[in-house]
Amino acid sequence: MPPSGFTPTGLVQHMAEVKRNWFRRVFAGEQDPPIYDPQADTHGHGGGFELAKGTTLHGALATWQAEITRSREHCANRALTDTGRFMDQDVSLRWIYVRTIERPPPRPRRSAPGTHRRHHRRMTPDQAAFAPATTAHRRRSSA
């Protein structure tokens, strides 16, 4: 199977797209296009993972920081009960904050089924201490 194409730069691009979507499009009601693919569906999920042509990690980090700054400007003097529109309904700033904290980004396709299991076998003891109980138990019993 071919590799997934997932990269740290792609993850940073995705985080910038997420900030733009939730805080500029949804909360502030701006009509800004996607950052890395102007033709992308602004209502779709998972944007930004594909590396944009000519993008560097430094450039992606600068873009992400700029989106963080803009989102803070939009939220600085707003109440947690203030709302924006998402999927034809009002959502509060509190709801947006919780959503962006609790929900991990969509996972890119893995290169092979079961890749996540191999990852757990490479955990250090410190990492295993913070893993879910079943994983930590397997780690200790196999050591």
Side-chain angles (χ1 to χ4, degrees), residues 22-138:
W22 285 113
F23 296 100
R24 293 175 73 175
R25 289 190 200 111
V26 173
F27 188 62
E30 294 178 2
Q31 299 299 316
D32 294 314
I35 302 165
Y36 296 101
D37 181 5
Q39 305 305 315
D41 177 12
T42 58
H43 301 292
H45 298 285
F49 280 113
E50 295 286 326
L51 281 180
K53 188 174 183 175
T55 300
T56 63
L57 179 59
H58 179 74
L61 286 168
T63 300
W64 178 48
Q65 287 298 323
E67 290 300 323
I68 289 171
T69 299
R70 290 292 303 266
S71 66
R72 288 179 178 166
E73 290 168 358
H74 284 302
C75 301
N77 296 313
R78 306 292 296 273
L80 291 174
T81 54
D82 287 352
T83 61
R85 296 290 289 172
F86 177 65
M87 297 183 73
D88 299 323
Q89 63 183 350
D90 289 333
V91 293
S92 69
L93 179 57
R94 176 183 285 113
W95 186 89
I96 293 170
Y97 280 147
V98 170
R99 175 119 173 133
T100 58
I101 292 168
E102 75 175 352
R103 184 167 180 247
R107 292 179 183 211
R109 283 185 28 190
R110 297 186 187 281
S111 58
T115 301
H116 65 284
R117 290 187 189 117
R118 286 195 300 273
H119 169 73
H120 290 300
R121 288 188 205 125
R122 292 190 304 250
M123 287 169 42
T124 66
D126 290 336
Q127 291 169 324
F130 293 102
T134 57
T135 304
H137 173 72
R138 280 190 300 230

